Amino acid sequence: MLRDALLGLIRERGFDTISVQDISERAQLNRSTFYLHYRDKDELLTQIMRDMLLELSRRSHQLGDSPDRLHRTLLEWFQHAVEHPELYHLMLGRSGMRAFSVQLRNILEQLMNLDLERANSPLLIEGVPVPVLNRFLTSAYMGVLEWWLDRRSLHSPEDMARWLGALTSMMGSHPPATSPQSPRGK
């Protein structure tokens, strides 16, 4: 009840203007009941976001090690954002909450590691350490998600997953650029 109350109020008024009293009234509970479970509205929001990230992680892990795992993971991620737009806007929007974007990035890096650690992964690029490639891909995906959220989900989750998958595949099919050799000094 508290979760639904907070999310409804965020949709209507934004997080900063909401009080514990507002949440309690919306949930039709006493404030004392709220305080039995949470210190303040920030703690409630933190728990909601952790639950959401756990749900995303659980969904992705259920996909196992299938060949289309990356596409399906991206699709799940964009569909999840459609299901929870208020929370994603709070985490990644212009006035986002950095702690949660870091948690989201960490979950995505863990998921991406599963794909990168396979010896024959098409995502591996010779000479690029896996942690560097992982951070690069995860940051790119989050940047695209932020852009997509800012435009109010302009394209479908299916299109976004397909396009990101195509970009990722294209990356793995090109050799890494080499830096030009500097001429020897006289």
Side-chain angles (χ1 to χ4, degrees), residues 55-81 88 104 107-115 118 123 138 141 145 157-158 160-162 164-165:
E55 177 187 338
L56 176 62
S57 180
R58 193 176 311 121
R59 282 184 183 186
S60 297
H61 283 293
Q62 289 172 350
L63 297 175
D65 197 21
S66 63
D68 66 340
R69 184 178 187 288
L70 178 60
H71 171 77
R72 292 176 59 199
T73 297
L74 292 170
L75 180 58
E76 284 284 338
W77 187 33
F78 280 96
Q79 287 173 335
H80 195 261
Y88 275 88
L104 179 59
I107 286 175
L108 293 174
E109 284 181 349
Q110 290 170 14
L111 298 173
M112 183 59 65
N113 248 357
L114 297 174
D115 291 316
R118 292 192 324 240
L123 300 176
T138 303
Y141 294 161
L145 179 65
E158 292 81 8
M160 296 304 296
R162 188 175 66 250
L164 280 177

Side-chain angles (χ1 to χ4, degrees), residues 101-169:
S101 66
V102 168
Q103 287 182 36
L104 179 59
R105 187 187 66 231
N106 289 341
I107 286 175
L108 293 174
E109 284 181 349
Q110 290 170 14
L111 298 173
M112 183 59 65
N113 248 357
L114 297 174
D115 291 316
L116 293 173
E117 287 177 346
R118 292 192 324 240
N120 61 347
S121 174
L123 300 176
L124 294 175
I125 298 174
E126 187 177 333
V128 178
V130 169
V132 172
L133 181 58
N134 191 340
R135 178 56 63 98
F136 173 79
L137 291 171
T138 303
S139 296
Y141 294 161
M142 287 188 62
V144 170
L145 179 65
E146 289 174 39
W147 170 85
W148 186 67
L149 288 169
D150 285 344
R151 278 145 190 85
R152 302 290 182 207
S153 308
L154 179 64
H155 304 286
S156 72
E158 292 81 8
D159 286 341
M160 296 304 296
R162 188 175 66 250
W163 295 333
L164 280 177
L167 289 169
T168 303
S169 296

Side-chain angles (χ1 to χ4, degrees), residues 10 18 53 67 79 92 95 100 104 109 164:
I10 289 171
I18 299 168
L53 293 172
Q79 287 173 335
L92 301 173
S95 60
F100 295 103
L104 179 59
E109 284 181 349
L164 280 177

